Amino acid sequence: MSSVSIAAAERVGIDLGERSYPIVIGPGLLADPASYADLPASATALVVTNTTVAPLYAQAVCGALGERFRSVRVLELPDGEAHKNWETLNLIFDALLGHGADRKTVLFALGGGVVGDVTGFAAACYMRGVPFVQLPTTLLAQVDSSVGGKTAINHPLGKNMVGAFYQPRLVLCDLDTLQTLPQREIAAGLAEIIKYGPIADMAFLDWIEANIDALVARDASALAHAVRRSCEIKAAVVGQDERESGLRAILNFGHTFGHAIESGLGYGEWLHGEAVGCGMVMAAHLSEKLGGVDIAFVRRLTALIERAGLPVRAPDLGAERYLSLMRLDKKSEAGEIRFVVIDTPGSAVMRPAPDALVRQVLAECCA
Ligand code: NAD
Ligand code: GLY
């Protein structure tokens, strides 16, 4: 059996002591048995995926896992953010218990961020924790959600409100899977890639600007670089602050506004990445009002987000509704909303902002 794919792949390490793991990035990884060679020994595997991804990739994954596991089963969840909930989580527990899964059973999350977050949470809970592997198949999942161990489901009152920090044993970013993504999902992933520039690496922002057309067109080498650099930045941040006691919050740039858009419109109306893209425009405006960046920077970031194919005008939910939704954000303390803002290009901080300034931002950014 050939293992050219894994040998040629790039690796980014995430350093978390005994919970460290590799993020492997390259083409042809899912179907290569060598990709899974270092996983803990176990007889059984459950591949959790969804009705869209299963017909595309489940057979290839099961073929490769069949060389290592005696029993490999597939569970297809319903597709979509609207299904990131208790009912879907329970389907995983039903399957695990129904198949007699034990403490060594390995869960494989094959899909985008929704499958990854729900499967990771199931792995954290089942028998108080079983090993799991992230097999992200969206750009957003490869550059963000599969890395760092945040797992969750949504609550009708707030996004990702019920979950756990629980690290995977391995992340395999098979770049070939990006070729079957709808274009809207490519744009959604680009939002999280762009995010890393203003918060951590202005040279990367310059590179994204120079290569945005290639990224939108799915140029393989541009995507490979963007995935690797994004994973490096995320791994470095998570390595310093796994449980978000401080620094990790910068990865939420644009998310306070973005989560309000997602839950305010109803989950699934706007894609998560679309809401984050627009949320970054709003957070950039707030950063400007707080003195961290100038208006030229806000315009530059807005133009890039628009070129990625993302919305830059926010839905008009009304200022009161935005404020009440944002008070539910996980970063809020005692009802005070805390925003991630740029304090200088390439660096972000978390801080509260006067309601009056937030209202100005909403007035400027809402359609
Ligand atoms: P998603 O999981 O809904 O996937 C997007 C769509 O693409 C779905 O319809 C999916 O079935 C389909 N799909 C997946 N792979 C495909 C492929 N290769 N070809 C064709 N179709 C494919 O959305 P997403 O953008 O991947 O993830 C968004 C979720 O991730 C949100 O719930 C968000 O909260 C979460 N998230 C979590 C973290 C974290 O740190 N845990 C970070 C960012 C986002
Ligand atoms: N996506 C934000 C985080 O992982 O912390």
Side-chain angles (χ1 to χ4, degrees), residues 193 207 211 213-216 218-228:
I193 292 172
W207 181 90
N211 291 277
D213 295 336
L215 290 165
V216 169
R218 307 177 201 216
D219 174 83
S221 69
L223 285 172
H225 177 76
V227 172
R228 183 177 54 74

Side-chain angles (χ1 to χ4, degrees), residues 144 150 234 244 248 251:
D144 191 353
K150 277 190 180 175
K234 180 150 187 185
E244 199 167 309
R248 185 169 178 166
L251 299 173

Side-chain angles (χ1 to χ4, degrees), residues 18-50:
E18 62 183 13
R19 293 182 307 290
S20 299
Y21 52 92
I23 303 155
V24 184
I25 302 161
L29 296 175
L30 290 182
D32 185 348
S35 299
Y36 310 96
D38 294 334
L39 290 176
S42 167
T44 53
L46 178 67
V47 178
V48 182
T49 182
N50 70 23

Side-chain angles (χ1 to χ4, degrees), residues 144-145 147-148 150 192 195 234 238 244 248 251-252 255:
D144 191 353
S145 65
V147 174
K150 277 190 180 175
E192 301 280 14
K195 172 186 81 178
K234 180 150 187 185
V238 173
E244 199 167 309
R248 185 169 178 166
L251 299 173
N252 275 305
H255 286 57

Side-chain angles (χ1 to χ4, degrees), residues 73-94:
R73 296 182 190 262
V74 177
L75 173 65
E76 290 185 27
L77 303 176
D79 186 5
E81 184 75 32
H83 296 285
K84 190 176 167 183
N85 57 24
W86 278 114
E87 288 74 23
T88 303
L89 182 68
N90 251 325
L91 294 176
I92 304 178
F93 298 137
D94 291 347

